[in-house]
Amino acid sequence: MASACTKYELRCNECGKSYGNQPLSACSECLAPLEVQYDLESVRGRFTRETIAAGPANIWRYKELLPIPEGFLPDLPVGFTPLVRAKNLGKRIGADHLYVKNDAVCFPTLSFKDRVVSVALANAQAFGFTTVGCSSTGNLANSTAAQAARLGLKACILVPADLEYAKILNTQVYGARLVRIDGNYDHVNRLCTLIADEYNWGFVNVNLRPYYAEGSKTVGYEIAEQLGWKLPDNVVCPMAGGSLIRKIRKAFKELIALGLVEPKDVKFFGAQATGCSPISHAVKQGWDYIEPQRPSTIARSLAIGNPADGPAAAKMIQETGGWAEDVSDVELVSGIQELAEAEGIFTETAGGVTTAVTARLYAQGRISRDETTVVCITGNGLKTTDALEGRFTAEASVKPKLAAFDEYIRAVDGDLIGTGELQLAGGVR
Ligand SMILES: *Cc1c(COP(=O)(O)O)cnc(C)c1O
Ligand SMILES: [Zn+2]
């Protein structure tokens, strides 16, 4: 069997200059981000609905269009998360064909970052790095620490000092060195650029960023496959660095080019927290550039004030005829609760942002109720329980006696008893 390897290399987004394959994220001529480009013809015939269906039930079923080095043997079953019909949430917000792509349950660390880290670390090994790391707003830290442990790589991870406790613990438990930096994410990221050069470390979202970013395409492939090889009308996606939303579109374009789906102009809608909304602000202004902001929001996983892929994301959203919106911290907390109550999915602050923005887009009429819309839920609520602090008070305890319980439940929630009696009557009949 011919073991033809997919041809890919780094190219500059702006000027098109080629860089081969190396740990590098920006063009030396124009400083624009580098992006992995494929020779799509080299995979025609090897990337089909059939070859994909014959692959494993994880992101490696799409490995022909992922930048993984020759000889890399995929091991972790990352991704292939559920795409669920969200009828209840749809009813609440006036959407007839609403789906949730649920990366709150991604393996191994419960966010979509598991996808990007697995692709980045495959390359870190091939480039010979023995220490890896990242600058992170939390989820990336968790995933890098976990996957480095499994691969036997040393990990050094830098985060803003004010990160949620659960995200810090979820990094340290894997034995990674975690360094809290006095500053916001943008300070941390700049420092990481210097560190990566100084010590020759492989930082997944710095010098390995072009490879890392390709991992996000798997969200797009999965959405198309799980819709029965059809594209939705709209995608609503949270934005931090602005990478994920662009890569979902890239995935759709590749599927169209290779004939796996019918061509369709999918609209992309970006979601941010108002306290850090440089990309949604740019879209609303009609800009193709970003005015950096100083983040101030509890949606820390989205709190990147100077997003690397922000200009490209803003431009892309406008090209597709989509839109971007941002919501307050109060609204995002309601969004968390809304998704949990309607669909039984507990998401983190970023998912609260995405849910609240989706509701607003329907209310504004930017998305109409008969269209098919996929909402990308990217992280798990158990990591940001601080956001809900004070929402649910611990009630007084009750004696272990039926009479005591009966008195209590009638006082606090008499409606519950009503339904209980009905079911009992039905059972006896
Ligand atoms: C990192 C992250 C995002 C945004 O990703 P970008 O590709 O940087 O835009 C969205 N949601 C969650 C939960 C994240 O951790
Ligand atoms: Zn360039």
Side-chain angles (χ1 to χ4, degrees), residues 399-412:
K399 290 218 168 61
K401 299 266 189 257
L402 180 58
F405 177 79
D406 188 67
E407 185 187 337
Y408 171 79
I409 204 70
R410 281 179 198 280
V412 298

Side-chain angles (χ1 to χ4, degrees), residues 12 14-17 27 29-30 32:
C12 173
E14 300 269 319
C15 72
K17 186 174 175 193
C27 178
E29 311 275 319
C30 55

Side-chain angles (χ1 to χ4, degrees), residues 111-113 116 137-140 167 209 212 216 237-245 279 301-302 304 309 348 350-351 354 377-380:
S111 87
F112 99 93
K113 292 295 199 304
V116 288
T137 54
N139 287 314
L140 187 58
K167 283 182 176 162
R209 186 174 176 85
Y212 148 105
S216 288
C237 182
M239 304 184 293
S243 177
L244 171 62
I245 193 168
I279 310 179
S301 55
L302 302 182
I304 298 184
D309 296 295
E348 67 150 85
T354 312
I377 294 301
T378 46
N380 194 297

Side-chain angles (χ1 to χ4, degrees), residues 371-387:
E371 294 174 338
T372 300
T373 301
V374 174
V375 180
C376 297
I377 294 301
T378 46
N380 194 297
L382 291 172
K383 296 191 192 188
T384 61
T385 51
D386 352 14

